[in-house]
Each structure stands twice: as structure tokens, then as C-alpha cells.
Amino acid sequence: QVLLVQNCWAPLFVLGLAQERVDFEVVEAVTPSLLRRILLNQKAMDSQNQETDLNSPTLAEVQRVKLFLLKFWSMDISTKEYAYLKGITLFNPDVSSLRIPHCILALQQEAQQTLNEFI
């Protein structure tokens, strides 16, 4: 179970954003001036800020997520359809180290078939 969630937490998160119609705005983070960093002796914080910058999404990536959300919202997907989409996403038999990938495949196929029947 943990392997499946670890493998697909990001798509599940985005599907949750879409389902709950979460809208967000991007605001540029203000970085402290060089003078302020010198006065406050923030050398240690500089290395932490650099690591954070490397992990921060770009504006283009954020815009792609927002466009994806807009597309999903325009399709007026029902709660059941979101549940089936989440099942299809979660039950990925291609995750490495699964002990019974054939069972996971069966669950994914069942979710796909149920979604197809529903729509």
C-alpha cells in the first residue's frame, strides 16, 4: 500500500485539487537584501535558501498545473468519476517491488472498466 501511494502521491494530490476546485495564486517570494543578510549574519540560512530554491517549482510548472485544473473543471467531473480516476492512478502495476502486481493490475482494470461503464 505504501509503495503505491509513494509512487502516485503527486497525481492524487492534483486530482484532489481538481475535485475540491482549489484555486491558488502564485506570489513571488521576497528575498532579503545583501545588506540585511550581512547585518544579520545569515550565511547559514543562505545554504538552506539555495536548497529550497532548487526544490521550488518554476512559474511555468505552476501554470501547467493551473491549466490542468481549468481543463478538469470545465469537464464537470462527478465525485464517482474522480474516485475511479484516483483508483486508476493508485493501482499502478508498474510500481517496482510490488509482491503481487497481477492483483494490482486487476484492480486498475476494474476501476477503468467501472469508469467506462459509468460514463
Side-chain angles (χ1 to χ4, degrees), residues 21-109:
R21 293 190 172 267
V22 175
D23 196 11
F24 55 91
E25 293 299 320
V26 179
V27 179
E28 188 174 345
V30 179
T31 57
S33 69
L34 179 60
L35 178 60
R36 181 176 173 86
R37 285 186 285 170
I38 291 170
L39 292 174
L40 296 176
N41 194 21
Q42 292 183 327
K43 290 180 185 177
M45 291 183 70
D46 283 345
S47 63
Q48 291 174 350
N49 287 340
Q50 288 173 351
E51 287 178 19
T52 301
D53 288 344
L54 292 175
N55 295 328
S56 298
T58 65
L59 184 57
E61 291 168 332
V62 173
Q63 290 300 335
R64 279 200 329 252
V65 170
K66 289 182 71 97
L67 285 173
F68 173 84
L69 292 174
L70 288 171
K71 286 178 185 177
F72 256 63
W73 296 337
S74 72
M75 291 189 284
D76 199 30
I77 298 171
S78 73
T79 303
K80 283 186 178 183
E81 289 169 311
Y82 274 112
Y84 300 140
L85 289 170
K86 289 176 183 178
I88 293 165
T89 304
L90 177 64
F91 299 123
N92 180 358
D94 298 327
V95 173
S96 61
S97 302
L98 287 177
R99 286 185 278 181
I100 47 173
H102 61 281
C103 289
I104 303 302
L105 176 62
L107 290 169
Q108 186 184 58
Q109 289 173 339

Side-chain angles (χ1 to χ4, degrees), residues 10-25:
L12 287 176
F13 179 76
V14 174
L15 281 171
L17 291 176
Q19 183 176 8
E20 297 300 322
R21 293 190 172 267
V22 175
D23 196 11
F24 55 91
E25 293 299 320

